Amino acid sequence: MVVTVIGLGYVGLPLCIEFARSGLTVVGIDVDPERVRRVNEGESYILDIPDAAIQELVRSGHLTATTGFDVLSTADAVCICVPTPLRKSQDPDISYIVSAVDEIQPRIHPGMLIVLESTTYPGTTEELVLPRLSESGLEVGRDFFLAFSPERVDPANTRFGTRNTPKVIGGVTPQCTEKATALYRHAVDTVVPVKSARAAEMVKLLENTFRAINIGMVNELAIMCERLGVDVWEVIEAAKTKPFGFMAFYPGPGLGGHCIPIDPLYLSWKLKTINYTARFIELASAVNSSMPEYVVGRIHEALDQCQRSLKGSRILVLGIAYKPDVSDTRESPALDIMGLLQKRGAEVSYADPYVPHIEVLGQRYEAYDLSRGLESFDCVAIVTHHARFDYHQIAREARLVFDSRNALQGVPPGPGCRIITL
Ligand SMILES: NC(=O)c1ccc[n+]([C@@H]2O[C@H](COP(=O)([O-])OP(=O)(O)OC[C@H]3O[C@@H](n4cnc5c(N)ncnc54)[C@H](O)[C@@H]3O)[C@@H](O)[C@H]2O)c1
């Protein structure tokens, strides 16, 4: 059986590996020739995947990569794992899905299974993908099979990966669900079939909207606690002792990554097209996207209290990936924070063991080497709490720390160090 995966990113590459490990022949397709070259040479570009995992499968002939789409003409199945970002207008950009489907359409053949994995609004599989594939004259559920299966990969999660994370699958017809379920049983321990592609699309949006809304709620709680003079972190830890009916979420400098800030907006966009306002999503999105501004305001205040102005202060942003222990900076609130500090005249630097350089508002930054010490900064802002940071060094050497992650909890501050927590 030949399985193809279009899009060899954070989602597509781990999926290729699990299919290939199960003994299937896997061909990864990507428009990025550099990614294709690296896969074929057994070189990983994703932190969670060691080179050896790719090398073994390439060597055994189970995994290859290509920039060409012709392999689709003979492939038994294709999984679409291309990006689904937002346009500047905050509307869904499904152009990557469209272009992948337009490559499949002329190469579709009887028996072929097509599975969309990219996160998208409910209805995409049936309203956008199906009509394009049906132009071939083949009939879905009889001649070819089409399903949606959301990806749940959690980068840097060492406990749950592609194989042991249950996979939801919804086909356009019952036969489609059956075919897709049979395929994924090769790569995933538990498959969870649902009644339709639309339901499977909605499952993913429920999961990520649940997170976005709860994070928005706890971010607002942090703002309220600060006004009330209460330690929000202590409140959450104490609430967490309730053995039922409570799940801890933590405040932070804002949402980041390719999923949580974006996916709920796919859902609210779809609802807008049928004249419904997704109120919780809009509110959570407004609170979450105001957090970088809030963090900069708190840094400003903290500097004021030290008789320093934000303008001209040297500020080091620690951690610019969107979450700990990854190198992905997509939608990272740290970039917004750096941009806001830059606009207000601060002299900004950053350190991140996973990101050697970055461009923010047209300015290129090289990562600061923490072994040079922290004494020269007016403020150190912990934005992403990578495990590789030495928090004792930070508390020992920094003069002022704004800790947006409570990363210094339990770390004694050095004699001249003032720590302010979100
Ligand atoms: N990153 C995550 O943690 C995560 C988790 C769950 C779901 N998702 C969803 O999975 C999808 C993919 O996300 P990702 O993080 O893997 O993206 P990514 O940017 O890491 O990878 C996408 C890959 O697709 C390639 N590509 C783009 N257009 C193409 C085309 N027409 N043909 C072939 N290749 C093409 C790109 O070159 C890139 O290598 C998105 O819809 C995302 O929302 C991502």
Side-chain angles (χ1 to χ4, degrees):
M1 188 169 185
V2 176
V3 178
T4 49
V5 174
I6 302 183
L8 299 176
Y10 290 92
V11 167
L13 188 56
L15 185 67
C16 284
I17 287 177
E18 280 316 322
F19 277 134
R21 275 184 181 151
S22 75
L24 302 180
T25 301
V26 180
V27 183
I29 305 174
D30 203 291
V31 289
D32 180 347
E34 180 59 14
R35 287 199 157 178
V36 166
R37 180 194 66 74
R38 290 177 77 171
V39 171
N40 287 329
E41 287 177 13
E43 210 186 281
S44 179
Y45 42 82
I46 291 180
L47 279 178
D48 293 340
I49 301 177
D51 289 349
I54 304 179
Q55 279 160 12
E56 192 187 314
L57 297 165
V58 169
R59 222 177 287 131
S60 66
H62 286 98
L63 175 64
T64 50
T66 173
T67 52
F69 288 83
D70 282 338
V71 63
L72 293 171
S73 307
T74 49
D76 298 289
V78 54
C79 305
I80 305 172
C81 304
V82 296
T84 42
L86 288 173
R87 295 189 189 281
K88 280 212 172 77
S89 57
Q90 302 284 294
D91 290 343
D93 177 359
I94 42 152
S95 59
Y96 298 88
I97 298 181
V98 171
S99 96
V101 173
D102 286 348
E103 295 289 354
I104 299 169
Q105 197 268 343
R107 298 173 176 96
I108 196 167
H109 51 271
M112 192 181 197
L113 167 68
I114 298 111
V115 183
L116 178 60
E117 288 221 4
S118 301
T119 308
T120 183
Y121 57 80
T124 309
T125 310
E126 283 174 15
E127 294 162 12
L128 179 97
V129 180
L130 178 60
R132 288 182 130 78
L133 296 179
S134 298
E135 279 170 27
S136 61
L138 298 182
E139 191 182 315
V140 71
R142 192 193 65 188
D143 305 324
F144 74 94
F145 305 93
L146 175 62
F148 183 82
S149 180
E151 181 48 56
R152 286 170 157 170
V153 70
D154 181 20
N157 190 327
T158 49
R159 198 166 152 221
F160 291 106
T162 304
R163 179 156 284 282
N164 64 351
T165 303
K167 193 114 174 77
V168 172
I169 295 177
V172 169
T173 69
Q175 293 79 4
C176 296
T177 310
E178 216 175 277
K179 289 272 180 196
T181 302
L183 170 70
Y184 279 92
R185 286 222 164 99
H186 288 278
V188 179
D189 294 340
T190 312
V191 176
V192 184
V194 292
K195 285 203 281 280
S196 63
R198 206 175 280 263
E201 288 160 341
M202 196 65 176
V203 168
K204 175 73 185 175
L205 296 179
L206 165 63
E207 291 166 8
N208 283 359
T209 302
F210 170 82
R211 283 189 63 73
I213 288 175
N214 279 287
I215 294 168
M217 189 272 289
V218 83
N219 277 337
E220 192 172 44
L221 188 88
I223 296 171
M224 295 192 281
C225 282
E226 198 262 324
R227 301 240 166 132
L228 294 169
V230 179
D231 178 349
V232 67
W233 306 95
E234 185 187 30
V235 170
I236 297 168
E237 283 316 300
K240 230 172 87 178
T241 59
K242 187 180 177 190
F244 47 86
F246 182 81
M247 179 186 254
F249 282 84
Y250 296 93
L255 295 183
H258 188 29
C259 295
I260 315 291
I262 294 175
D263 301 351
L265 299 180
Y266 266 66
L267 182 55
S268 62
W269 174 86
K270 177 67 182 174
L271 269 305
K272 259 184 221 144
T273 66
I274 48 173
N275 288 325
Y276 185 88
T277 305
R279 290 163 290 172
F280 274 106
I281 294 177
E282 307 253 313
L283 183 58
S285 174
V287 173
N288 289 329
S289 57
S290 72
M291 289 310 288
E293 188 80 52
Y294 177 73
V295 166
V296 171
R298 294 281 306 276
I299 293 173
H300 193 158
E301 251 173 57
L303 285 164
D304 275 353
Q305 284 162 15
C306 303
Q307 321 297 328
R308 293 213 50 100
S309 78
L310 180 58
K311 190 169 179 184
S313 282
R314 294 197 70 210
I315 299 180
L316 178 70
V317 172
L318 280 185
I320 61 160
Y322 82 91
K323 74 171 196 173
D325 311 327
V326 303
S327 58
D328 191 351
T329 57
R330 288 179 294 179
E331 314 289 328
S332 175
L335 306 181
D336 295 328
I337 291 171
M338 286 176 72
L340 288 165
L341 290 169
Q342 187 185 311
K343 273 193 203 152
R344 293 186 194 176
E347 213 182 292
V348 189
S349 306
Y350 85 92
D352 191 309
Y354 300 100
V355 188
H357 48 80
I358 192 87
E359 204 178 292
V360 180
L361 299 181
Q363 189 172 324
R364 188 181 156 94
Y365 294 87
E366 303 289 334
Y368 179 77
D369 175 359
L370 292 174
S371 67
R372 288 168 59 200
L374 300 170
E375 294 84 353
S376 63
F377 293 100
D378 297 298
C379 178
V380 171
I382 300 175
V383 174
T384 303
H385 46 316
H386 291 305
R388 278 170 63 183
F389 285 136
D390 177 351
Y391 293 101
H392 287 272
Q393 179 207 0
I394 295 163
R396 201 174 51 241
E397 294 179 2
R399 283 186 265 155
L400 172 66
V401 181
F402 183 78
D403 183 358
S404 71
R405 301 286 190 173
N406 201 25
L408 295 183
Q409 190 198 22
V411 180
C417 177
R418 187 157 168 247
I419 298 171
I420 293 175
T421 311
L422 180 81

